[in-house]
């Protein structure tokens, strides 16, 4: 039964929601406006909110200093590649935990989740030495592997939540019809879990795209992503705020647009099973 809510309450919640949304969006708005200011105006002691002199020179300077499209290509390869590799590993793992659990399944799930609580710097030295010995430093293959390992617990947890909602009777019917394990996963389970897989894919692409610690630590120039592209505009001479804002805007624009157009799938992925 729906709860009766007064008009004043609705207006109050609406105003509060817009206020919170604007507060969260304000850093992005500030970066957007600063990107179109001159450097002198951006670092002025009395900053202005809107650009007094609208200019596009920062974007040209950013491209002249560092190849944006190369870094964007690297970000796409690493984020999409690591997510697809994670799905290839995560779908069978989540199937096993959802439909063939053992008494240790819950412990394994909690152990995987606990790895996300460990500071990345805690494993920096062994990871760096392993990558050095395997010649994976400053390579797209190395970044793809590390991003897969970072996000694999989230992939398995999200898929496990979706798979638990699928009736076991459907899979048993497929087995009775003679479906082998591979056919059961590929032709029965995966098509039924397409919304969950899509949400998992979108969320993990965003997480891999925004990862800064490992992309800056394990790359120098050849395999640098857009996070490394942004950090290159911080120099010993100081912060070039207008150029840094332009670089940041170019880096976040693709993933911001993707998040905007796929927000329904993202919200579903982040809240699925929350009531339970």
């Amino acid at each position: 039964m729906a709860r009766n809510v007064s008009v004043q309450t609705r207006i109050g919640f609406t105003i509060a929601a817009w206020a919170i949304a604007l507060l969260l969006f304000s850093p992005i708005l500030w970066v957007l406006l600063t990107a179109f200011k001159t450097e002198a105006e951006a670092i002025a002691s009395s900053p202005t909110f809107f650009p007094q002199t609208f200019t596009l020179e920062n974007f040209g300077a950013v491209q002249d200093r560092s190849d944006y499209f190369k870094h964007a290509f690297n970000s796409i390869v690493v984020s999409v590649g690591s997510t697809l590799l994670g799905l290839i590993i995560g779908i069978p793992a989540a199937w096993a935990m959802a439909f063939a659990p053992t008494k240790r399944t819950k412990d394994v799930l909690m152990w995987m989740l606990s790895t996300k609580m460990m500071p990345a710097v805690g494993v920096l030295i062994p990871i760096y030495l392993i990558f050095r010995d395997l010649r994976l430093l400053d390579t797209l293959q190395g970044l793809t592997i590390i991003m897969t390992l970072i996000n694999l617990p989230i992939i398995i947890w999200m898929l496990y939540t979706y798979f638990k909602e699928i009736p076991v009777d459907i899979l048993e019917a497929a087995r009775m019809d003679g479906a082998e394990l591979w056919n059961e996963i590929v032709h029965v389970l995966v098509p039924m879990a397409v919304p969950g897989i899509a949400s998992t894919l979108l969320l993990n692409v965003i997480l891999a795209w925004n990862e800064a610690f490992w992309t800056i630590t394990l790359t120098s120039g050849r395999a640098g992503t857009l996070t490394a592209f942004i950090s290159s505009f911080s120099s010993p001479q100081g912060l070039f705020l207008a150029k840094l804002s332009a670089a940041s805007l170019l880096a976040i624009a693709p993933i911001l647009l993707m998040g905007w157009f796929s927000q329904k799938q993202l919200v579903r992925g982040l809240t699925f099973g929350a009531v339970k």
Side-chain angles (χ1 to χ4, degrees):
M1 183 176 180
R3 182 188 297 274
N4 293 324
V5 180
S6 64
V7 176
Q8 292 81 359
T9 302
R10 292 180 183 176
I11 294 175
F13 277 116
T14 301
I15 294 174
W18 274 101
I20 294 173
L22 290 174
L23 180 64
L24 295 175
F25 184 72
S26 58
I28 299 177
L29 179 60
W30 184 264
V31 167
L32 173 64
L33 296 175
T34 305
F36 296 100
K37 296 179 181 179
T38 61
E39 199 64 60
E41 186 180 351
I43 63 174
S45 57
S46 300
T48 56
F49 188 73
F50 292 101
Q52 301 299 307
T53 304
F54 188 88
T55 179
L56 296 175
E57 64 179 10
N58 297 315
F59 297 94
V62 164
Q63 179 60 24
D64 291 339
R65 177 171 174 174
S66 186
D67 190 350
Y68 166 78
F69 295 101
K70 172 188 173 183
H71 291 85
F73 174 79
N74 291 343
S75 288
I76 294 172
V77 170
V78 171
S79 57
V80 175
S82 64
T83 301
L84 293 178
L85 181 59
L87 288 175
I88 292 173
I89 300 172
I91 290 175
W95 174 91
M97 295 181 181
F99 301 112
T102 66
K103 62 180 181 179
R104 299 294 183 187
T105 296
K106 293 292 184 181
D107 296 333
V108 172
L109 285 169
M110 291 305 300
W111 172 77
M112 286 191 299
L113 190 62
S114 69
T115 61
K116 296 295 296 179
M117 304 175 188
M118 179 176 60
V121 71
V123 293
L124 172 60
I125 294 177
I127 291 293
Y128 187 89
L129 294 178
I130 292 172
F131 272 50
R132 183 199 64 184
D133 295 341
L134 295 178
R135 297 184 180 180
L136 291 174
L137 290 176
D138 200 20
T139 63
L140 293 178
Q141 296 91 331
L143 280 183
T144 301
I145 291 172
I146 195 67
M147 293 300 170
T148 302
L149 296 176
I150 290 172
N151 293 328
L152 191 57
I154 296 178
I155 293 175
I156 294 177
W157 261 93
M158 290 185 66
L159 292 177
Y160 170 78
T161 303
Y162 275 100
F163 290 173
K164 288 291 287 183
E165 298 297 317
I166 296 177
V168 182
D169 297 342
I170 297 178
L171 300 183
E172 292 179 349
R175 294 170 199 162
M176 292 178 63
D177 289 339
E180 297 181 352
L181 178 58
W182 174 253
N183 291 325
E184 177 185 330
I185 295 176
V186 174
H187 299 295
V188 180
L189 181 65
V190 171
M192 295 182 63
V194 165
I197 295 174
S199 300
T200 304
L201 186 148
L202 291 170
L203 179 61
N204 284 274
V205 165
I206 293 173
L207 292 175
W209 186 283
N210 292 333
E211 174 61 37
F213 180 81
W214 291 110
T215 55
I216 294 174
T217 304
L218 299 178
T219 63
S220 56
R222 184 175 56 184
T225 61
L226 285 173
T227 51
F229 171 76
I230 295 173
S231 67
S232 67
F233 287 87
S234 175
S235 67
Q237 290 75 28
L239 287 174
F240 299 95
L241 293 182
K243 296 178 179 61
L244 182 62
S245 297
S248 300
L249 185 61
L250 288 172
I252 67 176
I255 205 69
L256 198 64
L257 290 174
M258 190 191 80
W260 176 265
F261 287 110
S262 60
Q263 56 184 307
K264 290 184 178 179
Q265 286 293 336
L266 288 173
V267 170
R268 175 177 167 80
L270 291 172
T271 59
F272 193 84
V275 175
K276 295 172 59 181

